[in-house]
Amino acid sequence: MGRGDGRGRIVSPDGADDTGTRILHVDMDAFYAAVEVMDDPSLRGLPLIIGAPDGRSVVSSASYEARRYGVRAAMPVGQALRLCPTAKIVMPHFDRYQAVSKQVMAVFESITPMVEPLSVDEAFLDVQGVRRLWGSPGEIARLVRERVQAEVGITCSVGVAATKHVAKMASTLSKPDGLLIVAAADTLDFLAPRSVRAMWGVGPKASEALEARGIRTIGDIRDSPQEMLDRAVGPALGARIAQLARGEDARAVETERVEKSVGHEETFDVDITDREFLRAELLRLADRVAVRLRRADWECATVAIKIRFDDFTTLSRSQTLAEPTSVGQRIGEAAQNLYESIDRRDPIRLVGVRAEKLRPAGSSAFALWDDDEHWRKVEGALDDARARFGNATITRARHVGRGDGRGAVRHPKDHGVD
């Protein structure tokens, strides 16, 4: 769920210049809430919180009416209700969201074969090869919006640009139900006044480090000496954000589906309710997955988790990362976020973490994470230590001597590349 509440949206007029563009970023508007409204029109116009009514659960999504009160994804429902007391809570229906997502992706693929889904509600499209069939990129973007509305019944916002990074920023600024086109020649002017926090993949820590040095806009990044950027966020990210600030983004729309995956699971003899213990387990499993990725020289583009409850009901959730990784910390954070998105609080007998959509390490043009370089060094050092002293002797400090408080016995199950 995006953080925007729809105020201050920017859209392009009809006939806007789309010279030099080829990339569309299409993002559904408040997707979960939109599906619920589509299925129950009486909800239209109401501030909606998608989540369980239990005040300890977290918000999965919210309508724009609720977002204007400050409601955000992953916020405790109790806090969300304090911000918006009139909000209506709607239980999520993830199977329904997946079904609607398939309808949306089918619309995209009927227009261009060059579709790269990022999650259930957003995707990149490269339309360069279908211009003779459908028209200019701007015309194709309007066609996408019209067909999603007519054939699926929900609205989407579209950014059109020469690069992925700018297209994604443009779609965010145009939400909800908007279209923003950034011609190639206008890229630098478009980027200059935007906050460093608006850059796709540049996290809060990196943004704070930049702002502490007076670098608040993308234009400021462009005007800053490279040495200053490197001191603020490290040489790797410093070089990458300098490229982005200049409008340089070599990443192409990737349609190849790599089905190989690596995963680890743990089954407990005693069902677990301790959420902090389960979060720690997910991080531990993510570390094991990451070790195997690095040994095979792979990175993953998607992280998935599996949760099996005491009644043997099994839920799976997945998230496409902004950039592929083989860093356990990053995989673990994604796994923990996916776990927090599950509202059900029943005892758990099994947890699993899986790395999916594998690709050769270093195959991306560049990464955008703010602290992966540090974690790569730390985990690389751990890899060296394991090679010398064995796996059993090396673990995170938080796992040392940690029990589950219930006498649970772990039964590990590994999943290789398949």
Side-chain angles (χ1 to χ4, degrees):
M1 182 176 96
R3 293 185 176 274
D5 60 12
R7 291 178 289 193
R9 67 194 281 268
I10 304 173
V11 297
S12 294
D14 291 341
D17 182 18
D18 60 4
T19 304
T21 64
R22 65 182 296 164
I23 306 296
L24 275 56
H25 180 260
V26 189
D27 198 355
M28 301 301 107
D29 299 318
F31 180 57
Y32 291 0
V35 174
E36 297 296 343
V37 170
M38 179 172 63
D39 291 346
D40 181 1
S42 69
L43 299 175
R44 190 175 305 279
L46 300 180
L48 302 179
I49 293 173
I50 310 302
D54 180 356
R56 296 173 301 167
S57 66
V58 296
V59 176
S60 294
S61 184
S63 67
Y64 283 94
E65 292 82 0
R67 295 183 194 191
R68 294 185 182 115
Y69 287 86
V71 177
R72 298 289 181 263
M75 174 183 289
V77 169
Q79 180 184 353
L81 287 173
R82 288 192 292 273
L83 292 171
C84 185
T86 60
K88 181 177 179 62
I89 299 177
V90 179
M91 287 289 291
H93 300 91
F94 293 106
D95 290 344
R96 176 64 175 145
Y97 307 149
Q98 289 287 349
V100 175
S101 175
K102 290 180 180 178
Q103 292 180 270
V104 170
M105 298 301 166
V107 171
F108 299 163
E109 291 167 356
S110 71
I111 293 173
T112 174
M114 300 296 290
V115 177
E116 179 184 348
L118 291 183
S119 65
V120 295
D121 65 341
E122 63 177 320
F124 285 112
L125 283 63
D126 187 331
V127 299
Q128 183 67 19
V130 295
R131 295 187 58 167
R132 289 188 178 182
L133 184 62
W134 303 113
S136 72
E139 292 170 330
I140 296 172
R142 292 184 178 88
L143 174 64
V144 168
R145 297 183 66 239
E146 291 169 1
R147 287 191 52 184
V148 169
Q149 173 75 69
E151 298 176 26
V152 183
I154 58 178
T155 64
C156 62
S157 299
V158 185
V160 182
T163 67
K164 278 183 165 182
H165 180 242
V166 176
K168 195 170 195 320
M169 288 182 61
S171 71
T172 300
L173 287 169
S174 71
K175 294 180 77 68
D177 194 18
L179 166 63
L180 181 56
I181 300 171
V182 182
D186 297 332
T187 297
L188 296 183
D189 289 340
F190 168 80
L191 290 172
R194 312 294 166 204
S195 168
V196 295
R197 295 178 179 269
M199 300 180 79
W200 178 36
V202 176
K205 291 181 182 178
S207 298
E208 291 169 5
L210 292 167
E211 291 170 345
R213 291 164 173 79
I215 303 171
R216 301 186 177 278
T217 68
I218 298 177
D220 293 337
I221 292 176
R222 199 158 60 232
D223 295 337
S224 298
Q226 188 63 53
E227 294 78 8
M228 180 182 292
L229 300 178
D230 293 348
R231 286 197 300 271
V233 297
L237 185 60
R240 292 160 194 159
I241 64 173
Q243 287 179 308
L244 293 179
R246 296 192 298 267
E248 300 170 7
D249 182 357
R251 290 171 296 178
V253 171
E254 298 180 0
T255 61
E256 182 180 359
R257 299 293 186 269
V258 181
E259 300 300 336
K260 296 177 180 178
S261 62
V262 171
H264 286 275
E265 295 178 357
E266 293 287 358
T267 300
F268 308 106
D269 276 353
V270 177
D271 298 330
I272 305 299
T273 58
D274 184 339
R275 295 182 67 82
E276 285 307 310
F277 173 80
L278 291 166
R279 284 175 56 86
E281 278 296 286
L282 290 168
L283 182 57
R284 192 177 66 84
L285 293 172
D287 283 336
R288 294 177 65 188
V289 167
V291 167
R292 294 177 60 198
L293 288 175
R294 293 192 294 271
R295 286 175 179 171
D297 204 25
W298 288 101
E299 293 176 330
C300 69
T302 296
V303 174
I305 66 168
K306 180 164 73 173
I307 304 293
R308 180 167 295 151
F309 294 96
D310 57 342
D311 63 356
F312 287 88
T313 299
T314 303
L315 298 180
S316 298
R317 298 286 184 269
S318 65
Q319 173 187 339
T320 298
L321 304 174
E323 295 294 337
T325 188
S326 61
V327 173
Q329 182 70 20
R330 188 66 59 199
I331 295 170
E333 289 173 357
Q336 290 172 337
N337 289 337
L338 289 167
Y339 170 59
E340 293 298 342
S341 74
I342 297 174
D343 294 320
R344 185 168 170 175
R345 294 295 186 267
D346 297 319
I348 290 173
R349 63 178 288 108
L350 176 149
V351 293
V353 176
R354 177 174 287 276
E356 299 178 341
K357 295 186 180 178
L358 307 189
R359 61 193 68 187
S363 58
S364 298
F366 51 79
L368 295 176
W369 294 110
D370 56 348
D371 59 356
D372 267 6
E373 182 183 21
H374 165 71
W375 282 108
R376 282 194 194 93
K377 291 179 179 178
V378 170
E379 295 183 14
L382 292 176
D383 289 345
D384 293 340
R386 290 187 184 100
R388 292 184 61 192
F389 304 112
N391 289 338
T393 62
I394 306 297
T395 188
R396 290 176 183 260
R398 73 179 65 184
H399 300 319
V400 175
R402 181 182 176 90
D404 56 28
R406 288 155 181 77
V409 177
R410 299 185 180 96
H411 295 286
K413 181 178 179 181
D414 294 353
H415 295 279
V417 176
D418 51 32

